[in-house]
Structures are given as structure tokens and as C-alpha cells.
Amino acid sequence: MKQSTTKLVCFSLLLLSIACDKDETSKDQSLELAKQTKIINVTNHDGKPFSTGVSTNVNSKYVANPGGGVMMQAFYWDVPAGGTWWNTVKSKVTAWGNAGIGSIWLPPASKAQNGAYSMGYDPTDYYDFGDYNQNGTVETRFGSKTELVSLITQAHTENMQVYADIVINHNSGGQSEANPYTGTNTWTNFSGVASGKFTRNYNDFYKNSYGNNDEGSFGGFPDLCHANPHVQDWLWGRADAVGKYYKNTMKFDGWRFDYVKGFGPWVVNNWNANVGGFSVGEYWDSNVNTLEWWANNANSSVFDFACYYKMNDAFDGNNLALLNDDMMWKRNPYKAVTFVTNHDTDEIWKKNLAYAYILTHEGYPTIFYRDYEEWLNKERLNNLIWIHNNKATGTTSILYSDNDEYIARRNGYNGNVGLVVYLNNSSSWQERWIQTNWANAQIKDFTGHSSWYPTTQGDKWVKIQCPPNSYSVWSINM
């Protein structure tokens, strides 16, 4: 396993007392002692910067890729049934693109056992996108194949990528058949799928001639056997395999793999090698070593659950010093997809601080549909998206942290000057002297929360502030 390059530094009580001093008469003494403090440096293993966008256009498109952009999770659990969701999402992609969102993640798009009421996580026919009459319906919960294609086309027009949710751990909706490996009847006969593609029987599911089980089954569904060459061929091998059909015919650009704990990382690795496109796995585990192991072996990005749980403990548990701890984005930001909530879990209450964190730090940040469209302040999120796309460049240095405050610097890259983000989890305004990368430069808070326009000193130090239970983001005023 790679070792994190993060250097966690314990600050002295003397520094804490000095840094809290807001009396201008003690500025010189406080500043001199503060300059002796070590800074926590967070650097990619390969030494490269993370994002490199330098656009200053508020409506700039930022193309999604493993090293930049902002992703929208374009659904939530139990979106309205009735076949309207693809059209709902299509009506929003232009505004999302103008806000700087570079990709959208759609729910599982093919026909599932629960037909018109299914969220897609019980897949039956991978080639039925709402154009075959099976499982009691023609359209899926989300709409027709024609509407899905129209949505993808519109997103591409807006220079946005579209990621498909891929459920290949388990299947559902098969017919009963005698199974010699269990001595019972199992619901594993998929020979009658309406598309006629990727027909399956008991030997395509565990237990079978290839073994009794793989890494994990889910919910009592038949557990797909990836060791079977027939399954491999239909998932990624042949010209009309599931992955290639999604990519070449449906025009999806990438994949979110569901429940990857249920099968070996070699499965996603082989899919990526044969199909291509961006990929991220849902490996639900807070252990950063496990996340890094999976991402490396799958040759894929992974959702940064280590970051998610640290943010929950830090913001809701009133201990921002926990943000010094290790996370996937600190190990390899090119393979870390950060998030605040999703369709499965919604634990963080102080979401404004969490979004300010992921949209100013390294990693590939994801915004949840309901947070953006219903629950939070869309203008504030759009401002953070703009900051991410235009200012959040280069490696990261953590400048200060305690229970209530956290300050970090993005060091800039290729002419982009970077930023300083200040998170305040207390009930009062806070101020700090910090070291920037800018000498004799006027800076401002690009969130508009602070009205200060301070000028950095010749040695790059400056005093900044942050409102209560909020954040500020500072960079050169230009």
C-alpha cells in the first residue's frame, strides 16, 4: 500500500492562544511566532496538481474527467414514477452546464423486476431501456429509450458527460428453474428476456460449476458469477456486450459501479480495459487503505467514504481538526470522488460547510440533486462551483485547524493563483493571520461573505476572517 504524504502536525497551545488574539497591538509578536509554525502539506503521490482549469468565465463549461469538474447525481431515491424523470433531467442540463457542472450521474437505466416502479437496482434485461413490454411495462420508471437518448444528446450538447449506474453484482426477475447445484428451484432463468441479449441460467449465478460464492451477495438476489466466461463475454467482451452497447449505442461516457464489495476489483478493471470511459466504484468503507486498494486494483476512481465520514464527524461533531486525518483524496485525488450525500445516505447536517470543503479541495466533487434543486441555496452552490472550476488548483496545504476552525490553501498551478478556504463552525466571527502564496497583493473573499479587501504583506502573510457557521474563500482580487 502507498503511504500518505500528509504530514499531520500538532500545534502548540501557545500558538493557539496567539492565533486567537485579535488585538492589532499584538500583531507583530503573534505574526512572528505564527511564522515558525509548520504547515501541513498534502501533495499527490506523483507530484502533479489536481485541477488545472484557469477560466474566469462564470458560465465556463468544465469538462468532467478523473482530475477535474463537478458531477451532479441527477436522481434521488424514489424519484416520481410515471416515466417523466428523463425529461425532468433534460430540462435542467442547460442550466447545470451554465453553472459549471461537467457531468451527470443517472440511475440504473434498464428494465428491472419491479417494472414501472423500480429504481433500477434489481436489473432484469440490460438492453431494455424502456422499449420492450416486459415486467408489466414498456417504459421504465424514468421514461422511454427515446427520452433517455434525447437527454444524453442534450447533455453532450452542453459539453457534459453522462455516467450510467451499473448494477452487475446481482440480477432479479428471472423465472424459476431446477438448479442441480442447490438441489432446489432458483429464480435464475433469464432465457426469456425481451431483448434476447445476455440470456442467463443457473450456471451464470453462484453457486455453480465455478464455485459456491464470490466476494458477496446482496439482498437475496441471484448473485451473478463473473468467473463464468459467458458472463464476462456479455458484460464487456463481445462487440455488443453490455458495456460496449451502453458506450457505443446509448452514448454513455462512464460508469458508476454499484455495490463493488460484492465482486473482485478485477471485474471493473476488465470492464475498463475493454470498454473504456470514466468509472467510479461504490465501495462503502471508511477505511482509506481499503479504498486505495480497491481503486488501484480496479483501475478506477472510488467514492471517498473516508472523507464523507470524517466530514460528518468534523462538522456535526464540532471537531474540525479531524479534517487533518487521512482520506482518499489525499492518497490519490485523481481516483477520489468526494460527496456530501447521495441516494443511500444523508447523515451530514452542516452541508454548507461540507460542500465548501469538497468544492475547494482536491478530488472529483459530487452534488446531490435534492441539495441543489430543493434543499440548499442554489446560488451559494453555484458560487462554490465557480470557485472550484476557476480557483481550486494545485496541491493543498492545511494552514490551521482546531475544533471550530479550519483553513487550507490550494497552491495554484500553471498561472492560476489558487485560493485559501476558511471554514468556521463556531457561532461567532473568527479572524486569523495566515500565510498565502501572494506578496503585496490585494485579496478578497470570492463568496462575498466578508467585505474585507486586505493586502498581503511582503512576506505573504495576511489577516482574513470568516462568518459564523459558514465559510470564506480568498484569492487575489482580479
Side-chain angles (χ1 to χ4, degrees), residues 389-424:
N389 292 349
N390 292 278
K391 300 294 182 181
T393 60
T395 56
T396 303
S397 300
I398 300 174
L399 305 181
Y400 180 84
S401 66
D402 62 20
N403 286 349
D404 294 328
E405 299 172 67
Y406 171 91
I407 306 175
R409 185 179 70 216
R410 292 296 298 277
N411 292 307
Y413 173 73
N414 197 27
N416 187 300
V417 298
L419 59 80
V420 171
V421 57
Y422 194 160
L423 307 180
N424 178 10

Side-chain angles (χ1 to χ4, degrees), residues 5 42-54 62 65-69 329-336 360-364 388 391-397 409-419 437:
T5 55
V42 180
T43 308
N44 302 347
H45 286 300
D46 55 12
K48 296 178 181 177
F50 170 49
S51 55
T52 58
V54 294
Y62 198 81
N65 57 66
W329 73 259
K330 298 181 182 182
R331 297 286 184 94
N332 188 342
Y334 292 98
K335 290 185 176 179
T360 55
H361 283 65
E362 297 168 75
Y364 190 172
H388 173 272
K391 300 294 182 181
T393 60
T395 56
T396 303
S397 300
R409 185 179 70 216
R410 292 296 298 277
N411 292 307
Y413 173 73
N414 197 27
N416 187 300
V417 298
L419 59 80
N437 289 323

Side-chain angles (χ1 to χ4, degrees), residues 82-115:
T84 62
W85 192 249
W86 296 147
N87 287 337
T88 296
V89 175
K90 179 185 175 183
S91 71
K92 297 181 181 297
V93 294
T94 297
W96 292 349
N98 288 339
I101 293 167
S103 62
I104 57 174
W105 156 26
L106 298 182
S110 62
K111 190 68 60 66
Q113 180 182 9
N114 206 26

Side-chain angles (χ1 to χ4, degrees), residues 176-188 202-203 205-209 211-212:
S176 177
E177 63 180 346
N179 189 329
Y181 296 97
T182 64
T184 64
N185 274 35
T186 53
W187 301 93
T188 49
Y202 58 80
N203 204 41
F205 300 89
Y206 288 107
K207 62 182 182 180
N208 57 14
S209 62
N212 292 333

